[in-house]
Amino acid sequence: MKPVYLKQTLRTYSNPAPKAGTESTASAALKTEGPKTSVLQDQLKLSESVSSSPETKTRKLLEQLTKNFPGIQFEITSDTDFLNLKKKAASMGEGKHLLISEAFLARMASSEQDYQECRTMLLSSVLFLAENHGDGVFLGENQAASWNIREKEDSKPKSSLEQMLQNLKQAGSGSGQKWKVSSNVSFETSSLYRKLAQCGTKANIQSVVSEAYQNMASLRLVTCFGEAKERAKAYKAIRSLEKLMVRSRQKIRHLDQENLLKLRKRRAQKKQQEEKVRQIQQELKKKQTQRKLRDRRIVREGEEADQEIRRLKSYLSHMENTQENLHAVSGAETGGGDFLGETAVSAEQIAVSEPVAF
């Protein structure tokens, strides 16, 4: 059987697009005379085999992007560089830079779902730089940030990476309106896990599932239009609710098995098959005991899911405080600027955007 290939078209440039206030890349190419008249490529076709492993597809995708975007410097770096991103960005100087952390690559190669999520983020970042919306992007395991190099004469701010991603999500709508999502959405799921554990009938389970679907609908709105920190917590909560759906289907199946045993028991009682009744009763008692053990595990899973949400909230608060500290000490990092030359970039010139979770 021949492998099936997926193809996706991505606009690409041999060099990044011009800055705001200048002609677009396409129109400038048409008006330029001589051998340097046009952009090298209009399209980049990304081909990948469905049967390939995420690790293989990750390696091939990076090779294609590196080859087709010579104007962007790709660099694999440590995830800890995000804590001192200003200094790292300043040390690389001008140009377009895409920093890909080792943790990002490890996640991308871990599973098909993570590969698709990280692939979308990687392609968005490449387009973000190619169209000159920023000077650099850092891709961490679960978050990304962009930076711009400020110039004294440049008073017009560039687009942030978060705005670029929001525009991609709203592609085709033609609306630049910013959406506000209610802050009353709950990210805790342990209460639904406890309700599921207490259910003894299929009707009760379906009621819990219905409530979970309603919560997921609200959380999906947060992932599309919420703030960066809220989106990260919403993704965690959605994964927890998806796991709850699996547990609900398993519990319905086990209840069906118990109901079938009860039906067999009644039939045996009518036929006065006492030995068979005892065997069925023992089997039914065993299944009910196993169900109670599973219900306890369900409660523990809900509590663990809430603990993960709280740890994520604490981590995001820590990262926010770290960003504030970096801004506070950025002036002290430029003491040697006089010795770097006219084309050097100081940490004071680096403006880092708010992290975007994915």
Side-chain angles (χ1 to χ4, degrees), residues 12 197 264 266 284:
T12 178
R264 290 173 54 195
R266 286 196 295 269
L284 179 60

Side-chain angles (χ1 to χ4, degrees), residues 23-66:
E23 295 178 320
S24 66
T25 305
S27 61
L30 292 175
K31 295 180 179 180
T32 305
E33 297 180 357
K36 299 180 180 180
T37 58
S38 63
V39 180
L40 293 182
Q41 281 186 303
D42 290 326
Q43 293 181 334
L44 163 63
K45 290 187 177 180
L46 302 176
S47 301
E48 58 189 34
S49 174
V50 175
S51 59
S52 299
S53 65
E55 183 177 3
T56 301
K57 289 190 289 188
T58 298
R59 185 179 66 253
K60 290 183 178 179
L61 177 60
L62 288 174
E63 291 174 354
Q64 292 181 63
L65 293 177
T66 304

Side-chain angles (χ1 to χ4, degrees), residues 268-283:
Q269 287 174 337
K270 288 181 179 180
K271 296 180 180 180
Q272 297 181 352
Q273 297 174 337
E274 296 181 1
E275 182 63 28
K276 189 173 183 179
V277 169
R278 283 195 297 269
Q279 292 177 356
I280 295 175
Q281 179 62 32
Q282 291 176 357
E283 186 177 354

Side-chain angles (χ1 to χ4, degrees), residues 249-296:
R249 290 193 293 269
Q250 291 174 345
K251 186 162 186 176
I252 288 176
R253 186 171 66 250
H254 294 140
L255 286 176
D256 286 340
Q257 293 174 355
E258 290 182 24
N259 291 334
L260 181 61
L261 285 175
K262 291 177 182 178
L263 180 61
R264 290 173 54 195
K265 180 182 175 182
R266 286 196 295 269
R267 289 176 179 174
Q269 287 174 337
K270 288 181 179 180
K271 296 180 180 180
Q272 297 181 352
Q273 297 174 337
E274 296 181 1
E275 182 63 28
K276 189 173 183 179
V277 169
R278 283 195 297 269
Q279 292 177 356
I280 295 175
Q281 179 62 32
Q282 291 176 357
E283 186 177 354
L284 179 60
K285 187 176 181 180
K286 181 179 178 181
K287 285 189 176 294
Q288 290 173 339
T289 302
Q290 291 174 345
R291 175 162 57 85
K292 291 179 180 179
L293 293 175
R294 285 192 295 266
D295 288 341
R296 293 174 186 172

Side-chain angles (χ1 to χ4, degrees), residues 127-145:
L127 272 180
F128 177 81
L129 294 175
E131 296 183 347
N132 205 35
H133 293 293
D135 296 304
V137 174
F138 178 91
L139 294 178
E141 181 180 7
N142 297 304
Q143 63 179 349

